[in-house]
C-alpha cells in the first residue's frame, strides 16, 4: 500500500500503543513515508500552546502535560510522555518538518469538571479503571495463543517490522486497525464508556482539520480508537454526545516525569511494566540484547559481584536459545532476565530484583525548560533549589546537614517550609553520623505529584517563605486541639517562620488556658520543649514559648497523680505511661532554665511510684525514671519492687510493673544483668506465679523480655540457670556470679577506658 492510497479514503490513522518503542519507530517511519501536512495527537487541546516547548533544548523526556482546575489545583491530571512514546515522536517529527501539530482529545476543561472524574485508560494518569473494562491487547494476545499480552506485543510490534520501511509500517497500522475494528464489533465500547464522548470530540477536531488541510493530515492515537474515528457518524450525533458537558477553567504546564511513574506498579492506567527496558529498545539501534546485558553486568559489578565478559557472552547465547525454543523472533525481556538469573545471578532472585528495579523500571527523571509556565511559588522554589544546589532527583537520596553552616541551615529551612505546605520532597530520618541539635538528616525523593502540591500551595503566597507563613497562621486559627498548636509551633521554629509565631503563640496560650485534660497537656509539652531547643539552635527568640511551656509543666505536676488513679484500664495506662515518658524528657530540657521544675517533677514521680492505686505499669515506670536520674537509692527501688511483686499484688499488676520498670527499650535488661538483687526479686516472683495466672501474664512478659538485645537475653538466661551460684541465689547467699563482683575491679575497668573515650569522642 502506497502512502497515497493510504490516504485515499481519508486521513492517515496511526493506531499505537502508548509508550511503545516499536509503535514510536513505526510512527516515525510512517510519517516519513506519508509526509502529512499536519499531525493530530491524542491529548488535551489546552496543551496546544505548550507544544513549542517540546523543541526547546532544555526539554528532556520523560515529561508530562499537567492540567489542573484553576480554582482547585488538587483536581488535576497528567498526560505522560517518554522519549519512546509515539506521541512524543510525532510531536518532534512535526516540529522538525515544520508542519502544524495539535492535540485533539476531549478538553481537560470537561474531563476535570465533574467531582472525582478523571480521564481514564490510555489517556492521562489518575483514572480508576472500570471493573469490566476490556483490555484489547489481552484479547488479541489470547486469540494468537499467548498468555502474556506484553510478549505478544513485543513479537508482533517491537521485534517484527522494527527495521521495516514505510510501506511495511503502513500496512502494519492498517492490520492493527482492522483487528481493533473486529474487537469493537464484538465488544462495543468494551466498558470504556467515556471513550464514546472522547471519540466524538476527536471526530469534530478531524473535521476541522479536513477543512484546513484536506485529507493530508495524520492522526496518532490509541489503536482502540481507530475504528471509531473511521466510523461514518454524523455531526449532529457527535454534537448530541458532547452537549451539556460540565466545564471548568484549567491551567496547563509541562512537568518532569519519571520512568518509575510510567510503570503500572505506580498506578498509572496506561502504564507499562518495563519503561527502562523500552527506553533501551528505542535507543539501541543495533544488538539491543548484547547492549542490555552489558549494562546489567556493569550494574552487578558496581554491587561487587564477579561478572566477566564471558558471563555476558553466555547470557546472550542462553537468551537467544530460549527465544528460538519459544518461537520468538528475538529474545524479549522474559528470556533476557531468565538468562541473567541463570548466568549472572547464580539462580538467585535477590540481585535480579535490583536489576528489575534499576534497569527494567529505572529512575530516570525528565527536565522541563525554564520557559514553561509555572505558578510563582514554583518559580521561587526553583530559584532556591539552584541557589542551594538541591537538585530534584527521582532516586532516594540522603542529605546530611550541619546547622552550624549557613548553607545547610538554609536547606533545612527550605525543606521544613515545604513540609508545612504539604510538599513532601524531604522526610526527616534518624542521623547515622551522630546526634545533637546541630545535625539533621533528610531523605529526598522528587515525585511528579509534587508539582500538583506546589500548585495547590500557591494559594498561600508567591514565595516559599510567604506561603509557609500564611499557611501556619491559618492552621493556628483553625486548630481545635492543643496538640495541633504545639506541633505547629515546633514546625514554625524548625522552618524559621518568625512572622507566624505571634499568631501561633496566641492560639497556643488560648487553648492551653482552656484545656483541662492532663493527657492532652502531657501530650503537648514535649513538642514545646523541643521547640525551645530548636529556637536556641536557629537563633529564634522563643521567650514567650518558654512561658507557656513552664505553665503547662506546672499544671501537669499538679494534675497527673490524680489522673493516674482514676481506674485506668490497660490501654489507658499504656497511653499514660507514654505521656509520663514524654513529660520526663521535656522536663529534662526545660530544667536547664528552671532547676526547681526538676525537683517538683521528681516529687510527682515519687508519688506515682509509691501509690498502690496507680496501675503497676505506671508505678514501675516512675520507679525506673527516679532510679535512672539518681533521685532514688537502690534500696528504695528494691523495696518498691518487693511490694509490687509480693503475693498481695495481682499477677497482672505485677507483670505490668515489671514492664514499666524493665521494658526492653529502656535498657532494663542491662540493669538486671548488673543488679542481681533486682533480678533475684523478679526471678522469685516469676517462679511463684500460679499456673492459671501465668498463662494470662505470659504475653506481657514476652513483650517485656523479648525486646532485649540477644546478648542481654543470653546473659540473663545464664545468670538464672546457675541457680544457687547465680544471680538469683546471690540475693540470699551473698555469692556473686563470675564477672559480677559487688565491688569494681580496677584492672578490668581500666581495660575499657580507651574504647569508652573513643566512643564518646565520636
Amino acid at each position: 500500500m502506497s502512502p497515497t492510497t493510504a490516504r485515499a479514503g481519508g486521513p492517515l490513522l496511526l493506531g499505537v500503543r502508548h509508550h511503545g518503542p516499536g509503535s514510536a519507530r513505526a510512527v516515525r517511519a510512517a510519517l516519513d513515508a506519508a509526509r502529512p501536512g499536519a499531525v493530530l495527537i491524542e491529548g488535551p487541546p489546552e496543551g496546544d500552546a505548550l507544544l513549542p516547548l517540546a523543541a526547546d533544548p532544555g526539554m528532556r523526556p520523560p515529561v508530562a502535560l499537567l492540567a489542573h482546575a484553576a480554582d482547585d489545583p488538587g483536581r488535576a491530571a497528567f498526560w505522560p510522555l517518554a522519549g519512546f512514546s509515539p506521541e512524543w515522536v510525532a510531536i518532534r517529527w512535526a516540529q522538525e518538518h515544520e508542519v502544524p501539530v495539535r492535540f485533539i482529545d476531549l478538553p481537560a476543561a470537561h474531563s476535570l469538571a465533574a467531582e472525582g472524574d478523571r480521564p481514564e485508560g490510555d489517556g492521562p494518569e489518575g483514572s480508576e479503571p472500570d471493573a469490566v473494562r476490556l483490555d484489547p491487547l489481552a484479547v488479541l494476545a489470547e486469540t494468537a495463543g499467548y498468555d502474556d499480552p506484553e510478549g505478544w506485543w513485543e513479537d508482533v510490534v517491537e521485534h517484527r517490522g522494527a527495521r521495516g520501511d514505510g510501506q511495511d509500517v503502513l500496512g502494519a497500522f492498517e492490520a492493527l486497525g482492522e483487528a481493533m475494528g473486529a474487537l469493537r464489533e464484538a465488544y462495543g465500547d468494551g466498558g470504556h464508556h467515556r471513550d464514546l464522548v472522547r471519540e466524538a470530540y476527536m471526530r469534530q477536531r478531524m473535521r476541522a482539520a479536513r477543512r484546513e488541510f484536506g485529507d493530508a493530515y495524520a492522526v496518532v492515537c490509541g489503536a482502540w480508537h481507530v475504528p471509531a474515528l473511521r466510523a461514518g457518524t454524523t455531526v449532529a450525533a457527535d454534537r448530541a454526545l458532547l452537549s451539556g458537558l460540565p466545564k471548568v477553567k484549567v491551567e496547563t504546564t509541562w512537568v518532569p516525569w519519571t520512568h518509575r511513574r510510567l510503570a503500572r506498579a505506580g498506578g498509572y492506567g496506561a502504564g507499562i511494566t518495563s519503561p527502562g527496558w523500552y527506553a533501551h529498545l528505542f535507543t539501541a539501534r543495533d544488538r539491543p540484547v548484547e547492549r542490555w546485558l552489558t549494562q546489567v553486568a556493569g550494574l552487578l559489578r558496581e554491587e561487587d559481584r564477579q561478572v566477566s565478559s564471558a558471563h555476558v557472552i553466555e547470557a546472550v547465547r542462553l537468551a537467544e536459545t530460549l527465544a528460538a525454543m519459544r518461537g520468538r523472533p528475538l529474545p524479549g525481556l522474559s528470556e533476557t532476565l531468565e538468562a541473567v538469573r541463570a548466568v549472572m545471578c547464580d539462580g538467585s532472585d535477590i540481585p535480579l530484583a535490583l536489576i528489575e528495579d534499576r534497569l527494567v523500571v529505572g529512575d530516570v527523571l525528565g527536565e522541563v525548560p525554564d520557559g514553561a509556565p509555572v505558578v510563582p511559588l514554583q518559580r521561587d522554589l526553583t530559584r532556591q533549589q539552584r541557589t542551594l544546589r538541591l537538585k530534584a532527583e527521582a532516586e532516594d537520596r540522603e542529605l546530611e546537614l550541619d546547622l552550624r553552616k549557613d548553607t545547610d541551615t538554609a536547606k533545612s529551612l527550605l525543606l521544613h517550609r515545604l513540609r508545612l505546605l504539604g510538599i513532601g520532597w524531604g522526610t526527616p530520618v534518624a542521623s547515622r553520623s551522630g546526634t545533637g541539635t546541630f545535625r539533621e538528616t533528610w531523605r529526598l525523593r522528587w515525585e511528579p505529584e509534587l508539582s500538583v502540591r506546589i500548585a495547590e500551595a500557591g494559594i498561600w503566597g508567591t514565595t516559599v517563605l510567604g506561603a509557609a507563613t500564611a499557611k501556619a497562621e491559618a492552621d493556628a486559627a483553625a486548630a481545635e486541639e492543643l496538640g495541633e498548636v504545639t506541633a505547629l509551633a515546633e514546625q514554625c521554629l524548625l522552618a524559621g517562620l518568625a512572622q507566624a509565631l505571634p499568631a501561633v503563640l496566641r492560639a497556643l496560650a488560648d487553648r492551653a488556658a482552656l484545656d483541662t485534660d492532663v493527657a492532652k497537656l502531657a501530650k503537648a509539652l514535649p513538642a514545646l520543649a523541643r521547640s525551645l531547643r530548636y529556637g536556641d539552635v536557629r537563633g529564634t527568640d522563643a521567650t514567650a514559648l518558654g512561658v507557656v511551656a513552664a505553665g503547662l509543666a506546672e499544671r501537669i505536676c499538679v494534675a497527673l497523680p490524680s489522673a493516674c488513679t482514676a481506674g485506668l484500664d490497660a490501654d489507658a495506662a499504656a497511653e499514660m505511661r507514654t505521656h509520663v515518658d514524654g513529660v520526663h524528657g521535656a522536663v529534662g530540657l526545660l530544667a536547664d532554665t528552671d532547676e526547681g521544675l526538676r525537683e517538683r517533677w521528681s516529687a510527682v514521680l515519687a508519688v506515682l511510684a509509691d501509690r498502690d492505686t496507680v496501675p503497676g505499669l505506671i508505678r514501675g515506670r516512675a520507679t525506673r525514671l527516679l532510679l535512672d536520674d539518681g533521685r532514688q537509692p537502690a534500696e528504695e527501688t528494691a523495696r518498691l519492687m518487693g511490694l509490687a511483686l509480693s503475693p498481695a499484688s495481682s499477677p497482672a499488676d505485677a507483670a505490668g510493673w515489671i514492664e514499666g520498670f524493665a521494658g526492653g527499650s529502656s535498657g532494663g535488661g542491662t540493669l538486671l544483668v548488673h543488679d542481681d538483687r533486682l533480678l533475684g526479686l523478679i526471678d522469685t516472683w516469676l517462679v511463684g506465679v500460679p499456673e492459671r495466672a501465668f498463662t494470662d501474664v505470659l504475653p506481657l512478659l514476652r513483650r517485656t523480655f523479648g525486646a532485649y538485645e540477644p546478648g542481654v537475653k543470653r546473659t540473663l538466661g545464664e545468670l538464672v540457670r546457675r541457680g544457687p551460684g547465680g544471680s538469683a541465689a546471690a540475693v540470699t547467699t551473698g555469692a556473686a556470679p563470675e564477672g559480677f563482683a559487688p565491688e569494681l575491679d580496677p584492672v578490668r575497668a581500666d581495660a575499657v577506658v580507651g574504647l569508652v573515650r573513643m566512643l564518646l569522642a565520636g
Side-chain angles (χ1 to χ4, degrees), residues 504-527:
V504 175
L505 289 175
R506 284 194 300 271
L508 180 60
D510 292 343
R511 283 156 184 78
L514 297 175
D515 210 326
T516 59
D517 188 335
V518 69
K520 292 182 179 179
L521 298 178
K523 183 179 180 180
L525 184 61

Side-chain angles (χ1 to χ4, degrees), residues 267-305:
Y268 173 35
I272 53 181
T273 60
S274 50
W277 166 254
Y278 273 9
H280 171 76
L281 290 182
F282 185 69
T283 56
R285 309 305 296 179
D286 64 326
R287 308 176 76 87
V289 175
E290 291 87 338
R291 296 181 185 277
W292 172 261
L293 290 173
T294 301
Q295 291 183 36
V296 170
L299 175 61
L300 293 177
R301 287 170 188 151
E302 290 176 1
E303 299 297 320
D304 294 328
R305 295 187 67 89

Side-chain angles (χ1 to χ4, degrees), residues 295-317:
Q295 291 183 36
V296 170
L299 175 61
L300 293 177
R301 287 170 188 151
E302 290 176 1
E303 299 297 320
D304 294 328
R305 295 187 67 89
Q306 300 299 317
V307 179
S308 66
S309 300
H311 286 90
V312 176
I313 295 171
E314 187 59 33
V316 170
R317 289 174 178 169

Side-chain angles (χ1 to χ4, degrees), residues 485-494 501 504-505 508 524-543 545-546 549 586 589-590:
V485 190
T486 55
L488 184 59
E490 184 177 8
Q491 285 182 294
C492 286
L493 286 170
L494 288 168
L501 270 179
V504 175
L505 289 175
L508 180 60
L525 184 61
L528 286 181
R530 290 194 302 268
S531 297
L532 289 170
R533 179 182 64 172
Y534 295 139
D536 291 339
V537 173
R538 289 167 169 78
T540 305
D541 184 6
T543 305
L545 203 61
L589 295 174
L590 297 173

Side-chain angles (χ1 to χ4, degrees), residues 459-473:
I459 64 172
W460 299 108
T462 58
T463 66
V464 175
L465 174 59
T469 299
K471 178 72 160 50
E473 292 174 342

